[in-house]
Amino acid sequence: MRPGYLLLEDGLRLDGQLCGAEVAGTGEVVFTTGMSGYQESVTDPSFAGQIIAFTYPHIGNYGVSAAAMESDRVHARAVVMRAAVNREDAPTAERGWLDWLVDCGVPAITGVDTRALVRHIRGAGSMRGGLFAASVAQDEAMGLVLAEPAMAGADLARVVSPDAVSRHGADGEGPLIAAIDTGIKRSIVRELVARGARLDLHPCTVGADELLAEDPDAVFLANGPGDPAALDYVVETVREVIGTRPVFGICLGHQLLCRAVGLETFKLPFGHRGANHPVKDLRTGRIEITSQNHGFAVAAPDGGLRVERDEPVRWETRFGAAELSHVNLYDRTVEGLTLLDVPGGTVQYHPEAGPGPHDSLYLFDRFLAAL
Amino acid sequence: MPRRDDLHKILIVGSGPIVIGQAAEFDYSGVQACKVLREEGYQIVLVNSNPATIMTDPEFADATYVEPLLPGPVGQIIAKERPDALLPTLGGQTALNLAKALAENGTLERHGVELIGADYEAIDRAEDRERFRATMKAAGLKMPRSAIATSVDEALGQMQDIGLPVIVRPAFTLGGRGGGIARTPEEFREIVRGGLEASPIGQVLLDQSVLGWGEFELEVMRDRNDNCVIVCSIENLDPMGIHTGDSVTVAPQQTLTDALYQRLRDQAMAVIRAVGVETGGSNVQFAVDPQTEEILVIEMNPRVSRSSALASKATGFPIAKIAARLAVGYTLEEIPNDITMSTPASFEPTIDYTVVKWPRFAFEKFQGANPVLSTHMKSVGEVMAIGRTFQQAFAKAMRSRELDAPVRLGDAPLSALLERLERPGADRYDVMLECFRRGAEVEAVHERCLVDRWFLAELRELALEPETPFEGERTYKAVDTCAAEFEARTPYYYSCWERTSADEVERGARPSVVILGAGPNRIGQGIEFDYCCVHAAMTVRESGRDAVMVNCNPETVSTDYDTSDRLYFEPLTLEDVLAVCRLERPEGVIVQFGGQTPLKLAAGLADAGIPLLGTSVEAIDLAEDRGRFGKLLDELGLSAPPYAEAHSVDEALAASREVGFPLLVRPSYVLGGRAMEIVYSEEGLAEYLARNVRDDGRAIFLDRFLENAIEVDVDALCDGEEVWIGGIMQHVEEAGIHSGDSACVLPPHSLGPEMLAQIRAHTEGIALGLGVVGLLNVQYAVYEGALYVIEANPRASRTVPFVSKAIGLPLAKLACRVMLGERIAALGLPEEAMVGDHVSVKEAVMPFDRFEGADALLGPEMRSTGEVMGVARDFPAAFAKAQAAAGAALPQSGTAFVTVTDSDKAGAVAIAQTLHDLGFRIVATRGTKEAFERMGVPATALKKVGEGSPNVVDMIESGEVDLVVNTPTGSGARSDGWQIRRAAIARGIPCLTTLSGGLAAVRAIAAARAGASDVLSLQEIHRAGNVETPA
Ligand SMILES: Nc1ncnc2c1ncn2[C@@H]1O[C@H](COP(=O)(O)OP(=O)(O)O)[C@@H](O)[C@H]1O
Ligand SMILES: Nc1ncnc2c1ncn2[C@@H]1O[C@H](COP(=O)(O)OP(=O)(O)O)[C@@H](O)[C@H]1O
Ligand SMILES: [Mg+2]
Ligand SMILES: [Mg+2]
């Protein structure tokens, strides 16, 4: 392992040993507090353009396997860890974690005081940064960091979205769902298909007519990276399909449906990334422990960033009545939307888990039952 | 849903004496419950027979009963106090079993008492193995193949279907007591018989063995809205087959993929829902096959447990506190997470460090006991260590164990060491590390112990490069439940090593006092010392200073972050303590309250220029150096038993002639009375020395053994000028039975005023002579009317909590005030400690029933794990309560078996006479019978064990004997006496091994016959003794 360092745009430098591919990596430095599921995280397209710092020190313990892929490749720009290990001899490992990162061309660093990093980001907010070999001069490195475009305003969906439509699930009777693939996770595809659905994944630039060409039973808005405010072209498509088909979505998809019905989105200071966030369903009072991965969130109709009231927030949209149905109990940010006059609803968190708890898997049953 | 207003008075049941499998963790949980429920405005009635607990401090409840945890007395308490509800989930298995009994015998219904936390059905579903199995099946969860047997023959039949090896586990026993793993039909027969005996309901569970699978525990909480959270996952390094209580464990789990872990999480929630624990915490144990990823449910505890205490300390999520709030109506969402204050308790802690728990064993004290670890828990305590990496935490945990003697692996060849791993003992990890140092590969070790390769690879690195994890700078980070995602308000810290230090400690302007805890519970140093440390913390806070606690025992109240202003969860080594001091720059350090552990650090701290509060290092040395102490006694004109110090076997033999027999011998390098023995002749001495002493020039102490002397314990307070006697305790058993193992009475029941005056005078002399500032404990022997000093400990003693509860004044707090500079004169103490019109008896609780093979004899070597207290209007009644509380309730009628050594025969007649008058049938061995009949006490003779059946042991085993009085004829292992005592203990029959104990017992029986004595709350007693209970 070669000495290297993580540099943040505000000048914070943390040293460690490089343990991945021998390239530099820059991007938005974010942290996730999940204690397992490192492979799922780095292959989640929502992490495109970001450097992931894992708050749990030991990463790599059980190696990597095909089953844990959330897409066909690693989307994170780089990985920051406290105590990375390779361990290709773990019972279900198909390859060692560090060997695999090298295979995938992903730079990584270990031996970093990740807790000090998190405390810094918690105060200063997530920001750009990069991984560099110790031999790279710090001012040169800073140049590269600052050359990195800011996350706010970034359209990263285009980067991760497929070029062509693909069909998933056994052909046959199952309901047909047309998804706008802004970077969908395999777990979502798996959960839908496991429930008998057929799923078409469309490029995010798809138009409404194309999307509805095969006469789908519903439209699904996927998760994905970047700033929802940069995706007005998708929002337009969504506006056209609301009312014609039930519209469901997760994470970025939630933000897009919310924008489509007139809500604003904003950048969270350091995002929600982890597997332990409590979310309350304001209609039933039930609390679910959720998997989260988002840097932007939806503002309430009154423009407020927090929902203080403990019942659903109802208001009139151009598509009829709607309500904010879920709230995050950590910071009371919006976690769910339900359309009341036309079929549709979305959640900010990840019911498909991968990684994370299964508390909300039932949402997929509910979704398909509604068709 | 908010607080339940239909409840006003709540009864909380503790877990009784410290025994293997049930230790200080239930004081921790009980105290948390008392605190929050009183904050919520409920009246609390507390019952626990264990006086060494914080929860039994009068200030923690409105009415505190130190009474036996049995349906009788607790029924009386319910009738007297009329609580609306009983909270049974915080007092371990004891409280659950008691609650079940009170429900089954109708007491709860009769008095309209509601079970909160877990109702009868839920408890039964979890505790009755058969119902539990059915419940799991219905919930679609898998368990090992199994069957339930109530007889050996039935079991043999079922063995066929299950297939060997089979795990045999008795129903309703603590820590797997009486269970085992049978690999052959013979073993099977043997273990099943033992298991049926150990089970109070004569039932054993036969389980398909999944030895070698991974063992995992999840701590679940559920509220009345059916919201569930997992507080913590715990992975056992030791695979299935070694009890979780004896396993080295780590949190969070390290080796499971997210997908597999989430399946465990789902199943843990399914279990708590299926069992129907509506509010509170439960512990669910799983076995996982790492290859096939098959998951089996092993058991669930519908209550807080040792593991939940560990989980609370490991994550900062106070399970017991929250369970108590849930039990009175709140939901998780309504309870704030007191670490962040900004987030609710309805979340799952996530941590950014690694936690290792390490058990502490005491095999050396039980000669003959089988030291191989199995499904039957044998450890007596534990330590926890936190590090940023597993290696940091593991190495800290090893340091924290504080072994009496370093593990010696000698020069055994690698092959021999590797073989040892196949029969895992207390030292298995020391052996493992040595194997790696000698070049063993991970695979070779894995094959033998089946510990997951991830851990082995980490341990191998640690063995080869022990320094690497500690490179960089030591820095203190906070435990905050959220991996730093939110700001932490709770000052709970651990040290770790990073490239550059970034301390998170927020040290205010106030002066601080560092209190050093007692480390792991062990025999000779238990919860009593934690009690004292907690009192010190309270006193320091009251004085306007910051109390800073340093300890590494996760079971305790002292390591609750609420107890002090700053908690450092650290090993109690000089290095680690000095590091804390460097950061804290304390006004002083308190070493008097944590037993020998901190006392041993005193000199090192002083040398480093750290100010000690109270008794000086010089004074400590004066008391502990036998030569110097002997001189002091001479100067004071006090007598001690003649003694000599020898440095070789020959010297010892020579010295023995001057000192004179009988002799009490002990090598200098052992603590807590270890390896102490009484020898009656030169041959005996030679034989002892051959067995116990390496002729390495280290000192051997020889004391004249004062036979049939009355032992007296005194706890006193001294400020350097004035001395105040807190309590004088007379032991029931004669000197020769370790003070920690003998019952004692306060006030003394048979010492005259002159003797008491002399004891006071002696104690004052010693306290002032030593220059004690704080607490002093002196042990005396009254021999042929004269007073001898046995030893003086310039620190809080084991008896401080007992005395404090008996006299209604908090000795440890008073001592702490003195150490902080107050004068005794200014404390407003009564001339003499008052005791009111009651008598208090302390009785020790022995772990013999867990060490098959070890003799059940009392001696100068301490073996008890815990103690109980009995309070009543007179000595016999108090003694009876203490016996009942200790688990050996005295019979009121039936058959008594008496067999005593010749020297005791005369004395035994009095016992036999009383028993006869009380209508007992007396059976005895021939010699004893003749002695009795000569004095006109009818008795039936029984065959000796050697003389074929039916003999004594058969009779005891068939349950025909209700009381055994048996004084030892020299401890020949496997002797008649040995077999008799084992049989009695296996059957739970009271077995008295000393004449004095026997006499006290018969008086107690007579008293009990006169009618059940009433239950007394400490508050009543103290009022009667007109001492106002200080807050
Ligand atoms: N079927 C089994 N095969 C192998 N080991 C087992 C099996 N069941 C239990 N054990 C071991 O025995 C220990 C004690 O069993 P458990 O059911 O937890 O009883 P306890 O009530 O004493 O905790 C467990 O920690 C585990 O290591
Ligand atoms: N000279 C003696 N005569 C009789 N009994 C003794 C004598 N010395 C010690 N003992 C017994 O041995 C026990 C342990 O001895 P002690 O010196 O108190 O060691 P420890 O440090 O373990 O408390 C005492 O409680 C007492 O019962
Ligand atoms: Mg268990
Ligand atoms: Mg002693």
Side-chain angles (χ1 to χ4, degrees):
Chain A
M1 283 196 257
R2 304 162 306 141
Y5 62 98
L6 169 72
L7 183 67
L8 299 192
E9 66 180 284
D10 69 355
L12 179 76
R13 170 182 171 144
L14 293 166
D15 286 75
Q17 300 99 27
L18 299 177
C19 56
E22 305 212 341
V23 292
T26 57
E28 183 188 36
V29 179
V30 297
F31 65 85
T32 178
T33 63
M35 293 184 285
S36 53
Y38 47 86
Q39 185 188 355
E40 290 88 335
S41 294
V42 297
T43 56
D44 176 348
S46 300
F47 276 107
Q50 295 174 321
I51 294 176
I52 307 179
F54 288 101
T55 61
Y56 189 66
H58 292 287
I59 299 295
N61 297 13
Y62 48 81
V64 297
S65 68
M69 296 295 283
E70 281 300 330
S71 70
D72 59 1
R73 62 182 190 279
V74 174
H75 287 277
R77 293 273 185 84
V79 186
V80 180
M81 298 163 288
R82 173 62 179 81
V85 289
N86 197 47
R87 298 295 148 77
E88 67 282 359
D89 61 355
T92 58
E94 290 160 18
R95 186 116 173 87
W97 160 246
L98 297 179
D99 296 341
W100 179 74
L101 285 177
V102 173
D103 300 347
C104 302
V106 180
I109 188 168
T110 185
V112 170
D113 184 349
T114 46
R115 182 174 169 90
L117 173 65
V118 170
R119 284 165 58 82
H120 182 80
I121 293 177
R122 185 181 78 203
S126 26
M127 62 184 90
R128 293 168 295 176
L131 273 197
F132 306 95
S135 55
V136 178
Q138 193 164 327
D139 48 1
E140 180 188 338
M142 185 57 84
L144 294 165
V145 168
L146 296 174
E148 182 64 32
M151 187 52 72
D155 172 0
L156 294 170
R158 250 181 235 273
V159 181
V160 299
S161 191
D163 314 331
V165 186
S166 62
R167 166 72 56 99
H168 302 260
D171 11 296
E173 293 321 286
L176 177 64
I177 299 165
I180 300 180
D181 184 355
T182 47
I184 197 163
K185 288 168 64 185
R186 283 186 180 168
S187 294
I188 297 178
V189 176
R190 204 179 298 122
E191 293 300 331
L192 289 170
V193 168
R195 288 166 175 75
R198 291 169 300 148
L199 187 65
D200 284 344
L201 301 182
H202 294 266
C204 63
T205 49
V206 66
D209 329 353
E210 236 175 301
L211 190 63
L212 303 182
E214 299 272 327
D215 188 20
D217 301 284
V219 169
F220 181 84
L221 307 177
N223 63 293
D227 186 346
L231 301 179
D232 287 344
Y233 59 97
V234 186
V235 171
E236 271 320 312
T237 316
V238 173
R239 288 208 175 104
E240 288 175 49
V241 299
I242 297 178
T244 71
R245 297 287 189 296
V247 182
F248 298 92
I250 290 175
C251 198
L252 178 67
H254 159 77
Q255 295 163 359
L256 295 174
L257 184 67
C258 287
R259 289 187 71 86
V261 301
L263 296 179
E264 284 305 317
T265 51
F266 66 96
K267 192 171 195 312
L268 291 162
F270 49 86
H272 291 169
R273 294 176 189 84
N276 71 333
H277 282 229
V279 168
K280 184 175 188 178
D281 182 331
L282 294 169
R283 297 158 309 183
T284 63
R286 304 258 323 155
I287 295 163
E288 287 153 22
I289 301 302
T290 65
S291 175
Q292 303 236 341
N293 175 18
H294 57 110
F296 293 83
V298 171
D302 62 6
L305 307 186
R306 295 166 59 93
V307 175
E308 300 296 352
R309 279 166 59 240
D310 239 353
E311 60 269 15
V313 179
R314 295 203 175 176
W315 83 107
E316 279 304 315
T317 74
R318 51 193 273 200
F319 303 98
E323 70 183 11
L324 297 181
S325 49
H326 296 72
V327 62
N328 183 310
L329 292 179
Y330 273 168
D331 58 8
R332 298 207 68 91
T333 51
V334 173
E335 289 280 351
L337 168 77
T338 307
L339 302 182
L340 300 172
D341 295 340
V342 292
T346 53
V347 287
Q348 176 65 74
Y349 54 95
H350 291 270
E352 78 283 5
H358 298 158
D359 295 14
S360 321
L361 280 175
Y362 70 90
L363 285 176
F364 289 95
D365 304 319
R366 200 182 274 176
F367 166 31
L368 287 157
L371 305 184
Chain B
M1 266 156 280
R3 173 187 191 282
R4 279 183 62 177
D5 297 331
D6 58 325
L7 304 177
H8 306 288
K9 206 187 230 191
I10 299 173
L11 173 62
I12 295 178
V13 181
S15 65
I18 302 304
V19 294
I20 290 173
Q22 217 169 245
E25 62 267 19
F26 298 110
D27 191 24
Y28 164 64
S29 50
V31 166
Q32 284 201 332
C34 291
K35 276 192 196 160
V36 295
L37 293 182
R38 286 186 105 195
E39 272 169 35
E40 292 293 340
Y42 295 103
Q43 279 180 295
I44 300 302
V45 178
L46 181 113
V47 55
N48 190 355
S49 55
N50 183 347
T53 52
I54 290 292
M55 67 161 80
T56 51
D57 272 355
E59 65 203 81
F60 283 91
D62 299 275
T64 307
Y65 290 86
V66 181
E67 296 283 350
L69 295 172
L70 297 167
V74 177
Q76 284 175 274
I77 293 169
I78 289 173
K80 180 175 164 192
E81 294 284 344
R82 296 317 208 90
D84 304 301
L86 190 165
L87 182 53
T89 53
L90 300 162
Q93 194 73 40
T94 303
L96 276 188
N97 293 350
L98 181 59
K100 267 184 111 245
L102 289 165
E104 282 158 2
N105 73 14
T107 308
L108 298 183
E109 202 182 347
R110 199 162 341 108
H111 298 286
V113 182
E114 174 185 352
L115 278 179
I116 55 175
D119 61 18
Y120 178 80
E121 277 304 303
I123 297 173
D124 196 55
R125 247 184 252 113
E127 295 295 320
D128 181 296
R129 308 264 187 190
E130 216 155 346
R131 280 195 77 182
F132 181 64
R133 175 165 295 277
T135 310
M136 291 304 101
K137 198 157 193 281
L141 301 170
K142 290 169 68 187
M143 293 187 70
R145 276 197 309 285
S146 104
I148 285 168
T150 50
S151 79
V152 176
D153 295 344
E154 192 185 355
L156 284 165
Q158 290 151 334
M159 188 185 80
Q160 309 308 329
D161 324 331
I162 299 171
L164 291 170
V166 171
I167 303 289
V168 182
R169 288 179 299 153
F172 287 106
T173 67
L174 295 168
R177 201 188 103 214
I181 305 168
R183 292 180 181 73
T184 67
E186 296 66 42
E187 272 181 9
F188 183 81
R189 197 184 286 276
E190 198 37 51
I191 298 174
V192 167
R193 191 182 301 107
L196 290 169
E197 266 177 1
S199 167
I201 60 170
Q203 187 190 78
V204 292
L205 178 73
L206 309 174
D207 265 337
Q208 155 205 1
S209 166
V210 290
L211 291 174
W213 287 28
E215 180 159 16
F216 295 81
E217 293 176 86
L218 267 63
E219 299 301 317
V220 204
M221 298 211 80
R222 183 178 183 216
D223 69 17
R224 61 184 62 252
N225 289 356
D226 191 32
N227 294 315
C228 286
V229 297
I230 303 294
V231 175
C232 187
S233 63
I234 300 174
E235 177 167 9
N236 289 217
L237 270 71
D238 299 282
M240 288 291 291
I242 296 181
H243 194 281
T244 45
D246 288 352
S247 295
V248 171
T249 66
V250 56
Q253 68 85 9
Q254 302 292 330
T255 64
L256 301 179
T257 62
D258 183 67
L260 186 49
Y261 169 68
Q262 298 303 337
R263 279 171 56 206
L264 276 188
R265 184 180 174 281
D266 296 344
Q267 292 198 15
M269 293 185 177
V271 170
I272 196 173
R273 288 184 167 121
V275 168
V277 175
E278 275 174 357
T279 66
S282 294
N283 156 266
V284 186
Q285 289 173 38
F286 295 99
V288 177
D289 180 335
Q291 263 64 36
T292 65
E293 302 204 327
E294 182 180 1
I295 299 174
L296 299 177
V297 174
I298 298 304
E299 73 154 359
M300 90 93 81
N301 296 303
R303 52 169 173 88
V304 304
S305 62
R306 179 176 51 257
S307 302
S308 67
L310 182 69
S312 298
K313 304 291 168 80
T315 60
F317 187 104
I319 293 175
K321 209 176 191 173
I322 288 170
R325 283 228 166 83
L326 295 178
V328 295
Y330 290 96
T331 57
L332 286 164
E333 175 197 9
E334 291 168 331
I335 305 168
N337 168 352
D338 40 324
I339 291 211
T340 63
M341 282 310 179
S342 60
T343 58
S346 55
F347 80 114
E348 296 194 351
T350 186
I351 62 183
D352 56 3
Y353 46 81
T354 303
V355 179
V356 170
K357 176 223 62 173
W358 195 305
R360 179 74 153 71
F361 296 88
F363 291 113
E364 67 279 1
K365 292 201 168 262
F366 301 92
Q367 282 162 16
N370 169 7
V372 177
L373 304 185
S374 71
T375 63
H376 157 159
M377 180 168 167
K378 290 169 178 163
S379 61
V380 295
E382 63 189 26
V383 297
M384 180 181 104
I386 311 177
R388 274 282 276 167
T389 64
F390 172 75
Q391 290 182 21
Q392 283 182 6
F394 191 91
K396 279 173 90 178
M398 285 190 96
R399 286 218 287 284
S400 305
R401 290 183 298 174
E402 201 197 331
L403 299 178
D404 294 355
V407 178
R408 280 206 198 65
L409 299 173
D411 37 25
L414 179 57
S415 58
L417 290 180
L418 284 169
E419 241 160 66
R420 267 170 77 168
L421 293 176
E422 292 169 9
R423 318 207 80 240
D427 61 0
R428 62 207 180 286
Y429 289 94
D430 306 270
V431 174
M432 217 179 277
L433 291 171
E434 182 60 20
C435 290
F436 286 131
R437 268 181 234 110
R438 306 232 198 129
E441 289 302 324
V442 163
E443 217 41 47
V445 173
H446 176 74
E447 281 166 14
R448 293 176 169 85
C449 62
L450 297 175
V451 172
D452 185 280
R453 293 179 186 81
W454 186 85
F455 296 108
L456 294 179
E458 293 286 324
L459 292 177
R460 183 161 181 280
E461 275 177 37
L462 185 61
L464 300 179
E465 296 169 37
E467 301 310 323
T468 314
F470 302 98
E471 281 167 2
E473 299 174 4
R474 184 197 281 257
T475 177
Y476 291 85
K477 294 192 183 289
V479 170
D480 63 7
T481 72
C482 61
E485 186 171 5
F486 306 97
E487 199 178 328
R489 296 266 186 289
T490 306
Y492 172 8
Y493 305 108
Y494 66 96
S495 70
C496 60
W497 285 258
E498 297 284 1
R499 234 184 205 72
T500 54
S501 96
D503 288 333
E504 296 175 22
V505 176
E506 279 162 23
R507 165 98 170 72
R510 294 199 298 173
S512 73
V513 170
V514 170
I515 299 151
L516 301 184
N521 274 9
R522 67 207 91 164
I523 288 171
Q525 189 167 303
I527 185 177
E528 302 82 4
F529 298 98
D530 199 67
Y531 166 98
C532 292
C533 293
V534 171
H535 274 221
M538 294 172 172
T539 311
V540 167
R541 294 178 107 171
E542 282 156 19
S543 79
R545 301 169 175 87
D546 282 355
V548 174
M549 185 68 66
V550 184
N551 199 4
C552 56
N553 181 345
E555 301 170 335
T556 59
V557 178
S558 67
T559 52
D560 181 343
Y561 55 73
D562 279 355
T563 297
S564 52
D565 294 285
R566 285 185 293 287
L567 166 65
Y568 291 85
F569 212 103
E570 294 289 282
L572 289 157
T573 68
L574 189 58
E575 175 202 350
D576 296 283
V577 171
L578 282 174
V580 171
C581 291
R582 251 176 245 115
L583 190 72
E584 279 289 335
R585 281 167 280 98
E587 178 181 316
V589 178
I590 294 182
V591 297
Q592 258 184 47
F593 290 145
Q596 283 307 113
T597 300
L599 218 58
K600 278 184 289 173
L601 303 181
L605 290 167
D607 294 347
I610 309 290
L612 299 187
L613 296 186
T615 309
S616 68
V617 173
E618 161 60 15
I620 295 171
D621 182 71
L622 181 51
E624 296 203 324
D625 179 310
R626 307 195 92 227
R628 295 186 62 196
F629 186 63
K631 277 201 203 64
L632 174 68
L633 291 181
D634 294 342
E635 287 159 28
L636 294 168
L638 310 181
S639 40
Y643 92 99
E645 185 176 323
H647 293 86
S648 74
V649 169
D650 302 344
E651 240 180 87
L653 290 168
S656 70
R657 296 180 203 109
E658 288 139 47
V659 178
F661 287 92
L663 271 180
L664 183 80
V665 210
R666 61 182 125 174
S668 61
Y669 55 88
V670 293
L671 311 119
R674 269 191 52 201
M676 265 196 192
E677 261 181 46
I678 297 157
V679 295
Y680 289 81
S681 64
E682 255 183 84
E683 300 66 49
L685 178 59
E687 190 271 335
Y688 167 89
L689 294 171
R691 243 188 313 117
N692 293 287
V693 178
R694 237 170 284 95
D695 218 341
D696 56 8
R698 269 192 286 192
I700 304 159
F701 298 123
L702 310 170
D703 291 61
R704 162 75 66 70
F705 177 71
L706 308 175
E707 264 191 311
N708 301 323
I710 299 173
E711 185 164 359
V712 176
D713 242 276
V714 180
D715 284 314
L717 212 57
C718 179
D719 61 11
E721 289 172 16
E722 188 184 347
V723 178
W724 188 79
I725 308 281
I728 300 178
M729 291 150 277
Q730 176 179 356
H731 291 201
V732 170
E733 288 80 7
E734 61 275 16
I737 308 304
H738 193 281
S739 49
D741 287 358
S742 55
C744 70
V745 195
L746 191 162
H749 59 307
S750 73
L751 295 177
E754 307 75 14
M755 181 50 74
L756 292 174
Q758 201 183 353
I759 291 172
R760 283 203 186 77
H762 277 38
T763 309
E764 284 193 16
I766 294 171
L768 297 172
L770 287 171
V772 169
V773 178
L775 278 165
L776 173 71
N777 164 263
V778 190
Q779 287 163 30
Y780 296 100
V782 180
Y783 179 64
E784 293 176 348
L787 188 61
Y788 293 81
V789 178
I790 290 177
E791 71 161 356
N793 298 310
R795 54 166 172 85
S797 75
R798 204 172 289 116
T799 43
V800 162
F802 168 71
V803 173
S804 301
K805 269 146 211 189
I807 67 173
L809 290 171
L811 274 188
K813 283 184 179 174
L814 296 168
C816 191
R817 285 169 63 184
V818 168
M819 292 161 72
L820 290 169
E822 286 186 64
R823 290 244 153 269
I824 288 179
L827 297 177
L829 294 170
E831 196 51 36
E832 261 187 39
M834 309 215 198
V835 287
D837 61 353
H838 65 283
V839 176
S840 306
V841 170
K842 182 209 87 178
E843 179 57 286
V845 176
M846 315 301 298
F848 296 133
D849 57 347
R850 295 179 163 274
F851 294 98
E852 59 281 82
D855 195 357
L857 257 184
L858 300 180
E861 168 142 7
M862 180 168 170
R863 292 199 185 81
S864 60
T865 54
E867 73 207 47
V868 292
M869 176 174 179
V871 190
R873 305 271 174 225
D874 54 42
F875 168 66
F879 186 82
K881 278 187 179 181
Q883 294 305 310
L890 295 164
Q892 304 225 350
S893 62
T895 303
F897 170 72
V898 188
T899 178
V900 297
T901 50
D902 294 344
S903 53
D904 287 342
K905 289 202 164 57
V909 173
I911 297 178
Q913 184 63 61
T914 326
L915 285 170
H916 175 68
D917 298 347
L918 288 167
F920 276 77
R921 169 163 169 260
I922 295 172
V923 294
T925 40
R926 197 167 300 100
T928 311
K929 166 188 185 282
E930 281 156 11
F932 290 172
E933 291 193 326
R934 250 179 267 114
M935 306 305 290
V937 183
T940 327
L942 260 186
K943 285 212 182 71
K944 282 216 163 112
V945 181
E947 306 169 347
S949 44
N951 62 39
V952 193
V953 173
D954 304 326
M955 240 185 120
I956 295 174
E957 282 179 343
S958 58
E960 293 166 66
V961 174
D962 307 286
L963 178 71
V964 171
V965 180
N966 168 227
T967 64
T969 52
S971 160
R974 303 298 191 275
S975 68
D976 278 24
W978 183 88
Q979 296 194 42
I980 292 167
R981 292 183 290 269
R982 294 304 309 170
I985 279 158
R987 276 233 150 247
I989 298 168
C991 176
L992 298 136
T993 59
T994 62
L995 274 191
S996 37
L999 278 166
V1002 293
R1003 287 177 62 190
I1005 291 170
R1009 283 276 287 277
S1013 66
D1014 50 357
V1015 288
L1016 303 168
S1017 77
L1018 290 183
Q1019 290 82 353
E1020 291 170 86
I1021 290 166
H1022 298 161
R1023 243 177 273 115
N1026 60 50
V1027 287
E1028 79 299 341
T1029 308

